[in-house]
Amino acid sequence: MSVYCEVALPVPLDRIFTYAAPPGTAPQRGARVIAPFRNEKLIGVVVGVSAEPPADFDARPLEAILDDEPLLGEHLLELGEWVAQYYLAPLGEVLRSMLPLMAEVRRTVYYRITDTGRDVLADSVDGDSAWADTQPTISAREHPALGNEFTPRMDTTKKRRGKLSAEEQNMERRVLQRLAAGEPVKVSTLRTATSASLPVLAGMLRKKWIARETAAAERDARRTERFAVLIPDARLPRLTENQQAILAELAACGGEMPLSQLRQRDLPASTLQTLVRRELVRIEERAVAFHLGGLTRNAAPVRLNPAQADALAQISAALGAFKPFLLQGVTGSGKTAVYLDAMQQALDRGLASILLVPEIGLTPQTVGLLDAAFGQRVALLHSALTPEERSEQWRRIHRGEAPIVVGTRSAIFAPVPNLGLILVDEEHDQSYKQEETPRYNARDVAVMRAKLAGAAVVLGSATPSLESWQNATAGKYGLLELKERVQNRPLPAVELIDMRREFQETGQDQLFSRALVEQTRATLERGEQAIILLNRRGYSFAVICRACGQKLECENCAIALTHHKPSSDDGLAREGQRLECHYCGYRRTVPAHCPKCESEHLYYLGAGSQQGEERLQEIFPGARIGRMDRDTVRGRHDLERLLARLHSGEINLLVGTQMIAKGHDIHGVTLVGVVGCDHALSMPDFRAAERVFQLITQVSGRAGRGDLPGQVVVQTYYPDHYAILAAQAHDYAAFAARELKYRRWMHYPPFGVLANVLVQSPKLEEATGWASVLGKHLLQNQNNSSVRVLGPCTAPIARIKGVYRFHLILKAASRNALHTTLKQMLVHADEAGVPRRNLVVDVDAVRLM
């Protein structure tokens, strides 16, 4: 009997695809399969099985079934379906995010020649001048779901090769000649044989001269390492000097050594092969042990104070059933100790736990604590792991070998058996919101997963999101409060420096105020540590011409280029230094003259963390200064090394971006400086005040966490703003009351729901037209619903990576009304020919830029 599978594929289409299972097989719901889709072979997930064939078409057969047993259990599939429905994302793309197992599939790209390509090649062979003098005019045929397909037609009035160099034309000719036999050729083979670049191949694809195909096959993703092992009791023949050296190395290392280490001894590989043939040494392949890494922490048990013990008791009592909590505790109040004890209690009852942290930057110290407490029962999931490492950790969790999981937002989908507890640390952090499809918020997904699994969920923060705070005060969440620091340590005193008055008194525009400089000097002289937050990367955040006012912008994005300055002896910015776009990665050197007016007077505006580090080195030449930002921390090992130096005291003055503000527990830090943090108050975002309050409060909490009291110096141009004053007083409740009053007046979350609809296209006229079509539809239906539509208008950042952006903001009092309107809009977009991949629907958006 034939079996038919409903398969969710990772494509931007809101539908499921039906395939025929191979004869004699019966894929289960939740298993992975390889399915043909156009010219691709895609990895999909079976979401349904039926014996009934589709009524209106012949189902294509599956290429392969990868799993005998389901990888996604029923409650994870149910969670994926909820995410797809709530965030209006294709189910296939949601399930792809839940399965980080791409290392287990080998994908190969092939190219083949098309009929159009054969015609072009034949013309060139016949000596036809069409190759050099004509170009296909491209007419766009709009596909309602997948975007633009192009049908080329020959137009001898236009130059085909006008934009390509002679070498690129030769590359195209060589590609067509290599593919002329008709067989698909692997992309690596094709590029080696023709020297063709990827942009040239992409151009030939657009002109339909060649077609792209992919193949997928299962592969062994286990990480292994080869060892040379000394065979005991082997009879030694006469040996050369190199052979004796290898045997001596192996004997000195206990009879075995990884080949990678043996190669470092500069001994010939052929010598080792000779020893293997003579049966004196054997080669073994072994699994590579995964090292969690992290910072080494003291595993001594911590005695909880009464407030911590009460919070733990309420969490422990809720284990085994769904119960959400908000744990609001001031910085340094010992929330992490409550997390650890709660996980231990869950473990004692045979229940697993997931701990989410907002950024990879927090994993080293968290992993260190968990490793000390739970050892090999801990698994780690985040994007900085290699694909093989992620696959290995996912499999350990799936087998039940790691009942404690720590990771960033994607770890909420970890396949943990017997899930009993979910903890979301720094739940307010906007890093929990994914900025690509599916655009889920891991905090909200955590609550839903706990509900589906019957688990307790704890959202912890010193500065909770106003949505979570409102849920707690309304009784939807249990409220747990830690109002005092551990061991009765005082919260740091916060001093506000009015930078307007600072300028009036000094007559100079200085990066660091006099008070901050003096307090930093005194801190360093006492042998203590200081942290200074300067929340911008680079040296200067804009370069402007003094003569004409032209700002140097990225060629791909409507954003100013950031000046990054290499180390130099004189400290001067000069021609040839780097300008970089932090959105697309575009780089160029600093020009000698303004591109618009040829003036040589270029002005470097503003200061970033790199300039802050340089200024501090000038002011404190004896300080041991470190910098923490995306330029100095490229991977998890960079971060671990930097934090280890900070904890050991090797660094006594740290400057950096908001990476330094989150969760770090360094007992030697007694002074924190906050520089330029309040510029966000002028951003076109209703959450600006909340973010400024959270950032100042969080970074202030890094001071005074040890035996010595802390001090905070905040430089601001808005000393009377309620967010700044509340942060100075460490008064979250006062800030929340004031901000919630404004939110209620304006019907913003949590007193309403919001979605940001983004329309984008590389062509300005397309983006404008599509935004107009959707705007008219929404405005015409606005009177019939409770949804308010703002826009369409140009997005605050009008172009990113060469793509023009327009957006509409939808506000509603009812979530049902908002979802109904968005679904109707998607149907209308499909009917109007607006491609789904050019339309982004961001439900509960946290960034409106």
Side-chain angles (χ1 to χ4, degrees):
M1 182 180 68
S2 298
V3 176
Y4 298 90
C5 302
E6 301 295 322
V7 179
L9 294 176
V11 294
L13 296 173
D14 297 310
R15 55 165 294 190
I16 303 299
F17 300 88
T18 302
Y19 290 90
T25 63
Q28 299 187 49
R29 176 173 151 87
R32 294 173 304 157
V33 295
I34 299 178
F37 184 81
R38 292 186 146 199
N39 294 327
E40 307 279 331
K41 302 293 187 298
L42 301 180
I43 311 301
V45 176
V46 177
V47 295
V49 179
S50 173
E52 296 296 326
D56 49 355
F57 64 92
D58 292 330
R60 299 175 68 183
L62 292 171
E63 291 284 327
I65 299 172
L66 298 179
D67 306 308
D68 296 329
E69 298 291 333
L71 281 190
L72 293 177
E74 279 301 318
H75 104 260
L76 275 179
L77 282 173
E78 189 177 355
L79 179 67
E81 291 165 351
W82 178 85
V83 170
Q85 180 273 330
Y86 185 89
Y87 293 102
L88 298 176
L91 179 59
E93 297 195 329
V94 173
L95 297 181
R96 175 177 59 183
S97 299
M98 298 174 72
L99 286 169
L101 302 176
M102 292 309 297
E104 298 182 3
V105 178
R106 178 182 290 106
R107 294 175 60 86
T108 308
V109 177
Y110 295 88
Y111 287 102
R112 60 175 175 81
I113 193 169
T114 64
D115 291 340
T116 303
R118 290 188 185 279
D119 293 341
V120 173
L121 183 61
D123 289 345
S124 68
V125 172
D126 294 341
D128 196 322
S129 60
W131 180 272
D133 299 330
T134 64
Q135 163 161 313
T137 299
I138 305 301
S139 63
R141 183 174 76 243
E142 312 270 328
H143 189 288
L146 289 177
N148 296 340
E149 293 183 352
F150 298 99
T151 305
R153 62 177 183 271
M154 298 307 297
D155 184 346
T156 56
T157 65
K158 295 187 178 181
K159 296 271 185 172
R160 172 193 291 149
R161 318 306 306 154
K163 294 185 179 180
L164 295 182
S165 66
E167 176 56 28
E168 289 172 326
Q169 295 178 38
N170 289 332
M171 287 181 190
E172 290 188 335
R173 184 182 288 106
R174 291 195 296 267
V175 168
L176 294 179
Q177 291 171 344
R178 178 65 178 82
L179 298 176
E183 294 295 323
V185 178
K186 190 186 300 186
V187 62
S188 56
T189 303
L190 183 63
R191 293 188 64 194
T192 301
T194 64
S195 302
S197 63
L198 289 177
V200 167
L201 293 177
M204 297 178 73
L205 273 174
R206 287 193 296 269
K207 292 179 286 193
K208 300 293 184 181
W209 292 1
I210 59 176
R212 182 178 181 272
E213 299 176 352
T214 63
E218 193 171 8
R219 66 180 286 263
D220 187 352
R222 290 176 297 180
R223 298 182 304 121
T224 59
E225 187 173 15
R226 302 181 73 198
F227 279 74
V229 180
L230 194 62
I231 297 177
D233 302 326
R235 184 177 179 181
L236 295 179
R238 187 170 182 175
L239 301 173
T240 66
E241 183 177 344
N242 285 336
Q243 291 171 347
Q244 293 178 23
I246 290 178
L247 295 180
E249 288 285 351
L250 293 177
C253 295
E256 61 183 39
M257 179 184 291
L259 291 188
S260 57
Q261 294 183 18
L262 193 57
R263 293 191 188 101
Q264 298 173 5
R265 304 298 196 269
D266 294 327
L267 295 169
S270 58
T271 304
L272 179 61
Q273 294 170 3
T274 301
L275 292 174
V276 171
R277 287 196 304 269
R278 301 176 75 172
E279 298 183 350
L280 299 175
V281 174
R282 67 174 179 269
I283 304 298
E284 294 182 358
E285 198 167 82
R286 302 176 183 176
V288 177
F290 179 81
H291 299 288
L292 284 173
L295 300 175
T296 302
R297 303 299 297 267
N298 184 6
V302 177
R303 184 180 180 85
L304 301 185
N305 61 32
Q308 290 173 304
D310 179 64
L312 175 63
Q314 293 191 52
I315 296 170
S316 178
L319 292 175
F322 170 61
K323 176 65 178 178
F325 293 98
L326 174 65
L327 176 59
Q328 196 271 327
V330 299
T331 56
S333 59
K335 294 184 290 294
T336 302
V338 175
Y339 298 159
L340 292 174
D341 281 12
M343 285 188 281
Q344 183 61 61
Q345 296 217 6
L347 203 59
D348 293 342
R349 301 186 192 185
L351 300 174
S353 303
I354 296 175
L355 172 59
L356 298 184
V357 294
E359 289 191 358
I360 297 170
L362 291 181
T363 57
Q365 69 175 23
T366 306
V367 165
L369 289 169
L370 294 175
D371 186 43
F374 304 109
Q376 291 301 309
R377 293 177 292 180
V378 179
L380 179 64
L381 283 177
H382 58 67
S383 59
L385 301 178
T386 66
E388 290 77 13
E389 288 173 336
R390 294 186 75 187
S391 175
E392 176 185 301
Q393 293 295 293
W394 196 94
R395 292 287 184 180
R396 286 184 63 226
I397 298 167
H398 189 259
R399 292 192 298 265
E401 297 173 5
I404 303 292
V405 178
V406 59
T408 50
R409 59 175 176 260
S410 61
I412 191 56
F413 300 122
V416 182
N418 302 319
L419 180 62
L421 178 64
I422 301 176
L423 303 149
V424 184
D425 192 26
E426 309 292 359
E427 65 87 29
H428 68 277
D429 200 290
Q430 62 184 6
S431 299
Y432 284 122
K433 186 70 160 72
Q434 178 148 300
E435 293 302 317
E436 58 188 25
T437 304
R439 293 172 178 259
Y440 65 90
N441 190 316
R443 177 197 66 207
D444 299 333
V445 175
V447 175
M448 178 53 65
R449 180 167 186 189
K451 182 177 181 179
L452 295 174
V457 56
V458 179
L459 312 180
S461 176
T463 55
S465 64
L466 292 178
E467 290 85 350
S468 296
W469 180 254
Q470 181 65 18
N471 282 333
T473 55
K476 293 182 180 180
Y477 296 170
L479 179 60
L480 310 173
E481 293 186 279
L482 304 177
K483 298 182 178 180
E484 303 290 337
R485 281 189 160 184
V486 296
Q487 300 178 9
N488 294 318
R489 291 169 181 159
L491 288 165
V494 180
E495 178 184 0
L496 300 183
I497 304 298
D498 187 344
M499 294 304 289
R500 301 169 300 180
R501 178 176 298 176
E502 183 79 6
F503 178 77
Q504 292 172 356
E505 294 177 356
T506 64
Q508 296 178 336
D509 187 14
Q510 295 289 350
L511 179 57
F512 301 120
S513 63
R514 294 167 295 174
L516 179 57
V517 170
E518 289 305 315
Q519 293 202 38
T520 303
R521 178 176 288 110
T523 299
L524 298 179
E525 288 175 351
R526 293 194 301 267
E528 299 161 9
Q529 293 172 292
I531 288 177
I532 295 180
L533 170 70
L534 186 51
N535 198 26
R536 285 185 181 269
R537 283 174 58 194
Y539 192 86
S540 302
F541 51 77
V543 180
I544 296 177
C545 175
R546 286 185 180 273
C548 69
Q550 176 74 10
K551 181 171 60 176
L552 297 187
E553 289 194 344
C554 174
E555 65 176 21
N556 304 314
C557 309
I559 199 76
L561 292 168
T562 300
H563 175 216
H564 287 259
K565 177 182 171 185
S567 301
S568 60
D569 295 333
D570 55 19
L572 298 176
R574 56 168 58 86
E575 176 189 358
Q577 294 175 2
R578 175 164 58 93
L579 298 176
E580 181 177 343
C581 175
H582 292 165
Y583 283 85
C584 71
Y586 168 76
R587 295 183 178 186
R588 61 162 297 175
T589 57
V590 176
H593 304 280
C594 171
K596 182 177 180 181
C597 71
E598 295 297 321
S599 169
E600 61 183 17
H601 301 292
L602 297 178
Y603 175 59
Y604 299 88
L605 179 66
S609 55
Q610 188 182 20
Q611 186 175 155
E613 179 187 29
E614 182 182 276
R615 293 286 181 266
L616 291 173
Q617 288 172 341
E618 295 171 355
I619 300 171
F620 308 110
R624 304 181 299 277
I625 300 175
R627 188 171 101 238
M628 182 186 291
D629 56 28
R630 295 296 179 195
D631 299 309
T632 60
V633 178
R634 297 290 185 180
R636 72 180 194 271
H637 298 303
D638 295 334
L639 183 62
E640 288 176 11
R641 284 191 290 268
L642 182 60
L643 289 176
R645 294 174 61 204
L646 187 61
H647 279 275
S648 68
E650 182 182 344
I651 293 173
N652 62 358
L653 179 55
L654 180 70
V655 61
T657 58
Q658 62 181 349
M659 294 176 68
I660 68 176
K662 301 176 182 178
H664 302 299
D665 185 22
I666 302 103
H667 287 195
V669 173
T670 57
L671 175 68
V672 168
V674 182
V675 178
C677 178
D678 55 359
H679 74 275
L681 292 172
S682 61
M683 301 293 284
D685 189 342
F686 72 92
R687 288 191 173 91
E690 182 181 9
R691 287 175 180 157
V692 169
F693 171 81
Q694 289 169 342
L695 184 56
I696 293 178
T697 302
Q698 290 288 337
V699 74
S700 298
R702 300 318 104 202
R705 299 174 75 95
D707 296 330
L708 299 174
Q711 175 74 22
V712 181
V713 177
V714 178
Q715 299 182 180
T716 177
Y717 285 93
Y718 307 100
D720 300 322
H721 195 282
Y722 65 92
I724 305 291
L725 293 173
Q728 180 187 27
H730 304 285
D731 193 344
Y732 175 82
F735 168 78
R738 183 81 173 266
E739 182 69 12
L740 285 172
K741 183 187 300 183
Y742 295 140
R743 300 279 183 93
R744 184 180 287 108
W745 287 345
M746 301 302 295
H747 304 288
Y748 276 117
F751 302 105
V753 290
L754 178 146
N756 188 31
V757 177
L758 192 66
V759 183
Q760 49 191 11
S761 172
K763 298 180 180 179
L764 177 60
E765 62 275 14
E766 279 187 345
T768 305
W770 292 337
S772 177
V773 167
L774 297 181
K776 288 178 181 177
H777 166 76
L778 291 169
L779 292 173
Q780 287 170 359
N781 292 277
Q782 185 173 233
N783 295 331
N784 301 324
S785 70
S786 59
V787 179
R788 184 181 179 190
V789 181
L790 308 178
C793 65
T794 305
I797 302 178
R799 185 167 52 97
I800 294 179
K801 297 181 180 179
V803 175
Y804 293 94
R805 310 164 76 243
F806 290 79
H807 74 156
L808 305 97
I809 296 176
L810 279 66
K811 296 166 57 181
S814 162
R815 189 167 297 282
N816 288 335
L818 178 67
H819 273 74
T820 299
T821 299
L822 289 172
K823 290 176 182 177
Q824 292 173 349
M825 181 203 70
L826 290 175
V827 172
H828 180 75
D830 187 55
E831 295 171 348
V834 180
R836 184 66 173 88
R837 67 172 51 187
N838 294 80
L839 192 60
V840 173
V841 179
D842 191 0
V843 177
D844 296 340
V846 299
R847 292 185 178 92
L848 302 177
M849 301 299 289

